[in-house]
Amino acid sequence: MAHPGPLELGRGVVVGPGAPVPSGWESRPRVLVDAAGVADPAPVVAELHRAWLLRRPVVVELAADPAELRSPEHYGGPVYGLRPEFEFSRERLQFLVWANTYDARSGEPVWWHGRRTSRRFAGDGVAEGGPADLLLADGTPVYVDGGPPDPPPLPGGAPGVVHRWSAEAGRLTVARDDTTTADLAADQRAAVDHRSGPARVIAPAGSGKTRVLTERLRHLVADRGNPPGSVSAVAYNARAAAELRDRCGPLVTPDGPAIRTLNGTGLWICNRFGGMGRLRVLEEPGVRDLVQRLFGVRRQANTDTVAPYVEALSAVRLGLAPPERVEAAFPDAAGLAEGFDRYRAELAALGAVDFDEQIYRAIEILVTNPDARVAAQTRCRRVLVDEFQDLTPAHLLLIRLLSAPGYDCFGVGDDDQVIYGYAGATPEFLIDFPTYFPGATGYALEVNYRCPAPVVVAASSLLSYNRRRLAKTIRPHCGGDNGLRDDGSPPTLPVPGAVPPTGGAVVVRTAPADELAGVAVAVCKGWIASGVGPEDIAVLARVNAALLPVQVACSESGLPCTAPLGTAVLARTGIRAALAYLRIGSDPGQIDVADVRDTIRRPSRGIAPMVADMVTKGRSTSVAEIRRLAGRLTGRDAPKLAAYADDLEAVAASCGRSTAAALDTIRTGIGLDETLEALDSSRREVDRSTHRDDLVALASVASLHSEASTFEQWLREVLSRPPASSPAVELSTVHRIKGKEWGHVVVFGASRGLFPHRLAGDDEEERRVFHVAVTRARTQVVVVGDAGAPSPFLAELDGSGPRPDPGVGPSGTRRRRVDPSGPGQPGPLGRTDAVPRGGGRPSASAPDAVERSLRAWRSAVARRERVPAYVVLNDQELTGIATRAPGTLAELAGCRGMGPIRLERWGDEILAVIGEAAPGPG
């Protein structure tokens, strides 16, 4: 009669309902699997998974219908209706019931893994029986293991162990208990040598995560003998995947471990199991053309009207948010909910997938096709995931579907480097890793090998202000000084008068805002003078626009640098309006009406469209003509047009002094800053430069060219210069350089409003962005900020900044990214008309009169621009605006349906219509 086998293998037994327990299992825990357990598998699955993972024998009393238990599961709803924690629980229950158990339902226990293996390899002389489960052709006995991969060693002289997944892959390779032979630090070695089950490896900046991932992959295949085709590594991008392949060398073969990006993994599933042949990948230009055609999007000069649709489609497919709720959060993507399925159907008709569809379609295949799911899972028995902290909800769901039912996921990442919250990434995926991958073991890499000790200490001090993070120890790799004071506290950071390389590994430089670019250039030149190559220097900023003064200063001083900005930046809304004002101010007697169009609504004045048309009916005009027209008007528009003429005269007067004076008048004197802030307030995320960022950057450039009348021509010529062909200083935003490093780094714009960004909804993520910038440096980092408005993060680098109130949640508890929450819940999808963002004002008007006027205006705009009326405003949005009757652009920005493009495109017209229809001042 069969027996439980070696205790180390942890084998259990399955018996029928009420049946006696075979000899050898009498003392083992009994787990009942009945109809109720099949209907609600979660509790019994949790119990059986623990027993399987820990190799603790159990007696499973199978009182449910076996046919029902093993019947394949399907999900027929939309993929966006799933959450990352979704699983096929009944399939997992079926797996756990039989994974490591004998079948004793008919009396004599049968070890099916051994019997199936003997049948598979019968032609090779393998037979069932002997002192273990099988006898190989040469008489060697082996066990066929059903526990987690990498079975434990048996006592000396005992038969070897072949794992069932190796046998199923056609390999009778005896598992080895080898440890890695790689030259690794103790913390790295512990992670690489992890045995079975999921593992979370927290890998702070510079701690060698790629080395750990590579050695883990090599160790599983070369040292432990895992079937190469059952191991998959998932890299975050193509560069990381190429680096993994390069480091793995000879292991990379057609039959070897799969090393792909997340999207490459999705595309493999689509091509292999989708039944549509080999799909082509539709690149961004093709995506934009398709969006424009399907959704009837009209191109608009200097405004990306397609981008909201692309972002909204991503929010549905990667954020797993319902299209209806996404459209509510993206008012500028009108018709998204109705057109979402049509967009996907058109992709299919083209035999194509776009970037996000590779993931979404792959999930759809896995949840609807059980055969495809099982086949894909056989290639992913062991899954290694790089940059785990950057996963979106759809990415995490895909990883879980592939690694099920065992969930053997080796996730490497750092919750302190989550900086893509706008795309759906969140620290919670790493923090709650054991929830998504049950039984996970935790490992922590503690040594930063990249950065000098003071940088490590300063970065650790900064991160200590975040509360939503895993506690961790981060130590510098150094022989002696660790950068701490004698009492163990962080060092006081030097603010030297001299330009680096003096001043230590972490230097904070503050200066007036208009001098910051000069400071950054001087710092870079100081490094180069000391022998540092330009290619080993980076200047990193929070947003692209902040790099404008640095790029111009570098170009003017002859410092070779990359050119992230071209003349296209001059067409952005804020800069375009400011330059139009400068042109008017330089020649107020001969004004191009195109410049009037760019300025009469910025700042918002609520001038009626008919009056604006009167001002711009010719090819040119003048301030005097505008004032004469204001004198001929009656009603509310007369003083508004006169005030516009006053503003133009004020700009003209300041243009005679300097460019900087003129831009100061434009920004604060006439209020362009305030209007751009209102336009920016309707944005969902701060994932790129805002209108006001652009204007602030332009003002910073003004000090480099004082003649207002020639400023634009000069700036356009500078931005037209080609980037340096020789080794050059890298100018980049922080979000574009994850995974890169330089010897010397300038963190530029460490000023209030940029770090943290004034529109960001999560200060903790902003702090993480700042931390990523600081820790790119191998030798020295210089942080440059506005002396008049320094970033609060500067004081946190040495721990002198005030600590958050422990009784108050972090400012990031209200996430800006799209989430599936219902109305009234945290997040942008809960915005309602009942809570005005801009501060609503009571209206004395009758809402019906305002609504009638807005409906008439909407019809006129729809005819004028040849778009459906709902593209302008749908009925619910229009009624909400009429009810609130906003009087300012900021108040209008708080109304439901007012996205950034709508606000910029029609905001002033809406205010003018309300002003005409509503009694009282407007």
Side-chain angles (χ1 to χ4, degrees):
M1 181 176 181
H3 56 82
L7 183 61
E8 293 85 354
L9 298 182
R11 294 178 174 180
V13 66
V14 177
V15 299
V21 178
S23 176
W25 285 280
E26 297 91 338
S27 62
R28 299 304 179 185
R30 196 176 183 109
V31 180
L32 175 64
V33 177
D34 56 9
V38 173
D40 181 18
V44 68
V45 160
E47 184 176 2
L48 288 177
H49 187 89
R50 282 193 300 270
W52 175 74
L53 195 60
L54 298 174
R55 294 183 178 271
R56 292 175 178 168
V58 295
V59 176
V60 178
E61 183 180 345
L62 185 56
D65 181 358
E68 180 185 0
L69 185 60
R70 64 174 173 264
S71 62
E73 288 190 272
H74 306 76
Y75 171 77
V79 170
Y80 57 73
L82 300 173
R83 304 270 60 78
E85 59 271 20
F86 170 82
E87 69 175 6
F88 289 108
S89 299
R90 194 177 73 236
E91 284 186 359
R92 191 166 162 223
L93 177 59
Q94 162 73 3
F95 165 77
L96 291 168
V97 165
W98 297 109
N100 198 26
T101 53
Y102 286 88
D103 182 0
R105 290 175 298 166
S106 59
E108 180 69 14
V110 176
W111 185 248
W112 286 110
H113 299 317
R115 182 160 297 177
R116 293 191 187 100
T117 302
S118 69
R119 293 170 179 171
R120 180 185 182 97
F121 291 91
D124 298 321
V126 177
E128 186 178 9
D133 299 324
L134 301 177
L135 283 174
L136 302 183
D138 62 0
T140 301
V142 294
Y143 289 103
V144 181
D145 181 44
D150 297 334
L154 301 183
V161 181
V162 175
H163 196 271
R164 59 172 286 201
W165 285 336
S166 290
E168 291 168 4
R171 297 164 57 97
L172 290 180
T173 304
V174 174
R176 301 187 295 273
D177 188 40
D178 298 341
T179 57
T180 181
T181 58
D183 182 17
L184 298 170
D187 53 356
Q188 296 171 336
R189 179 179 297 276
V192 169
D193 279 339
H194 169 71
R195 292 203 60 81
S196 296
R200 177 185 64 191
V201 182
I202 300 302
S207 61
K209 73 171 180 61
T210 305
R211 179 81 189 283
V212 166
L213 201 68
T214 304
E215 289 302 328
R216 174 66 177 175
L217 181 61
R218 190 202 61 78
H219 179 58
L220 290 176
V221 175
D223 296 339
R224 298 260 183 97
N226 280 245
S230 70
V231 180
S232 289
V234 180
Y236 188 71
N237 56 35
R239 182 177 60 83
E243 183 178 0
L244 267 177
R245 292 190 198 99
D246 184 62
R247 293 195 184 196
C248 288
L251 292 179
V252 182
T253 66
D255 298 323
I259 300 175
R260 302 184 179 98
T261 63
L262 280 162
N263 281 75
T265 300
L267 185 59
W268 165 68
I269 293 169
C270 293
N271 285 335
R272 176 69 177 80
F273 308 108
M276 296 173 61
R278 188 169 185 81
L279 300 170
R280 67 185 180 95
V281 178
L282 197 64
E283 302 292 343
E284 184 176 356
V287 169
R288 287 176 162 270
D289 289 343
L290 180 58
V291 165
Q292 187 178 2
R293 175 166 59 84
L294 286 182
F295 292 97
V297 182
R298 288 194 63 199
R299 300 287 178 129
Q300 180 179 335
N302 305 315
T303 299
D304 190 349
T305 53
V306 177
Y309 288 89
V310 175
E311 294 175 7
L313 287 167
S314 184
V316 176
R317 293 180 293 174
L318 296 187
L320 301 181
E324 295 79 10
R325 293 184 54 71
V326 171
E327 184 176 343
F330 288 83
D332 293 320
L336 174 86
E338 185 273 333
F340 176 74
D341 289 334
R342 283 192 295 112
Y343 176 82
R344 297 193 63 229
E346 185 65 18
L347 279 177
L350 293 171
V353 287
D354 64 14
F355 194 70
D356 297 338
E357 187 70 9
Q358 294 174 43
I359 303 296
Y360 193 84
R361 173 71 177 137
I363 294 173
E364 189 173 58
I365 291 169
L366 294 179
V367 298
T368 58
N369 186 337
D371 292 337
R373 184 165 65 246
V374 170
Q377 288 168 348
T378 61
R379 293 284 285 147
C380 301
R381 300 299 191 190
R382 318 291 293 267
V383 180
L384 291 73
V385 182
D386 188 19
E387 300 287 10
F388 194 94
Q389 76 281 349
D390 292 332
L391 301 183
T392 66
H395 292 148
L396 179 55
L397 175 58
L398 178 63
I399 295 298
R400 293 187 74 252
L401 287 169
L402 289 173
S403 63
Y407 292 129
D408 196 313
C409 175
F410 189 84
V412 183
D414 181 15
D415 55 304
D416 287 329
Q417 296 188 66
V418 177
I419 65 173
Y420 300 111
Y422 61 83
T426 169
E428 277 75 15
F429 290 163
L430 262 178
I431 293 171
D432 298 332
F433 187 94
T435 300
Y436 297 107
F437 301 94
T441 302
Y443 298 92
L445 308 185
E446 297 185 349
V447 180
N448 182 322
Y449 296 94
R450 175 194 302 153
C451 305
V455 173
V456 175
V457 173
S460 297
S461 174
L462 174 77
L463 291 172
S464 71
Y465 284 77
N466 277 1
R467 292 169 49 208
R468 193 174 37 150
R469 65 189 292 257
L470 292 165
K472 55 178 70 73
T473 298
I474 306 175
R475 296 179 287 110
H477 178 63
C478 54
D481 179 26
N482 63 2
L484 298 172
R485 295 195 187 105
D486 292 339
D487 62 0
S489 59
T492 300
L493 302 180
V495 185
V499 172
T502 62
V506 182
V507 178
V508 174
R509 297 290 305 276
T510 58
D514 60 355
E515 298 177 13
L516 292 182
V519 171
V521 170
V523 167
C524 295
K525 286 191 168 183
W527 280 327
I528 292 172
S530 71
V532 177
E535 72 281 1
D536 200 28
I537 299 173
V539 179
L540 307 178
R542 173 62 178 81
V543 293
N544 212 34
L547 295 167
L548 177 63
V550 182
Q551 180 177 330
V552 172
C554 286
S555 182
E556 289 292 88
S557 68
L559 179 65
C561 69
T562 59
L565 296 162
T567 55
V569 71
L570 304 183
R572 293 180 186 172
T573 298
I575 294 179
R576 188 173 77 251
L579 293 178
Y581 272 115
L582 285 181
R583 290 192 294 270
I584 292 173
S586 298
D587 190 2
Q590 187 71 22
I591 303 173
D592 190 316
V593 294
D595 290 337
V596 174
R597 295 190 188 100
D598 279 338
T599 56
I600 197 168
R601 296 187 297 114
R602 301 185 183 97
S604 176
R605 297 176 171 88
I607 295 175
M610 180 179 64
V611 175
D613 289 342
M614 293 170 64
V615 179
T616 59
K617 65 180 179 180
R619 291 185 177 181
S620 64
T621 185
S622 66
V623 173
E625 288 181 17
I626 294 172
R627 194 173 293 284
R628 280 195 293 272
L629 176 59
R632 294 197 300 268
L633 294 175
T634 58
R636 302 182 184 189
D637 285 308
K640 295 176 183 177
L641 193 59
Y644 174 55
D646 292 342
D647 288 342
L648 297 184
E649 288 181 344
V651 172
S654 59
C655 279
R657 296 196 297 274
S658 68
T659 307
L663 286 176
D664 183 62
T665 298
I666 294 166
R667 289 179 59 196
T668 60
I670 66 174
L672 182 58
D673 249 354
E674 184 178 346
T675 288
L676 297 181
E677 187 71 15
L679 292 176
D680 290 340
S681 69
S682 62
R683 293 172 57 128
R684 287 185 55 256
E685 295 291 349
V686 193
D687 55 338
R688 60 180 69 91
S689 302
T690 67
H691 297 312
R692 190 167 176 271
D693 292 335
D694 293 340
L695 187 58
V696 170
L698 186 69
S700 298
V701 177
S703 63
L704 302 176
H705 190 92
S706 62
E707 181 57 49
S709 61
T710 59
F711 174 76
E712 180 182 356
Q713 178 183 354
W714 164 80
L715 181 58
R716 193 173 294 277
E717 187 277 324
V718 173
L719 292 177
S720 298
R721 297 170 188 168
S725 57
S726 58
V729 174
E730 178 78 23
L731 307 185
S732 177
T733 62
V734 183
H735 285 92
R736 291 183 178 274
I737 51 81
K738 276 281 295 283
K740 296 183 180 181
E741 59 186 63
W742 294 265
H744 300 75
V745 171
V746 174
V747 180
F748 184 77
S751 309
R752 192 177 304 119
L754 279 177
F755 277 117
H757 197 282
R758 71 191 190 285
L759 297 181
D762 188 346
D763 284 356
E764 293 205 352
E765 176 156 325
E766 294 293 295
R767 194 173 282 114
R768 293 193 293 268
V769 174
F770 193 67
H771 152 259
V772 168
V774 169
T775 55
R776 297 309 95 191
R778 294 189 305 269
T779 302
Q780 186 177 46
V781 59
V782 176
V783 183
V784 178
D786 184 354
S791 164
F793 295 160
L794 296 182
E796 296 173 3
L797 287 170
D798 67 359
S800 62
R803 295 279 169 180
D805 184 345
V808 178
S811 61
T813 52
R814 185 183 184 277
R815 302 289 296 169
R816 281 182 171 267
R817 63 183 173 86
V818 172
D819 56 50
S821 59
Q825 298 299 314
L829 302 187
R831 190 207 299 184
T832 66
D833 288 333
V835 187
R837 290 177 63 186
R841 62 173 176 80
S843 173
S845 68
D848 288 348
V850 176
E851 183 169 345
R852 283 194 299 272
S853 296
L854 284 175
R855 287 184 181 275
W857 166 83
R858 181 180 66 174
S859 297
V861 171
R863 288 192 301 271
R864 180 181 77 204
E865 303 197 8
R866 291 176 293 177
V867 296
Y870 70 82
V871 171
V872 184
L873 286 173
N874 66 35
D875 288 346
Q876 186 179 15
E877 294 162 346
L878 187 146
T879 300
I881 293 172
T883 301
R884 294 178 62 184
T888 67
L889 204 62
E891 292 175 359
L892 180 59
C895 294
R896 181 174 182 175
M898 292 311 300
I901 293 177
R902 282 176 168 176
L903 195 65
E904 182 179 350
R905 194 172 184 177
W906 299 308
D908 212 55
E909 291 186 31
I910 292 172
L911 292 177
V913 170
I914 294 172
E916 288 297 318

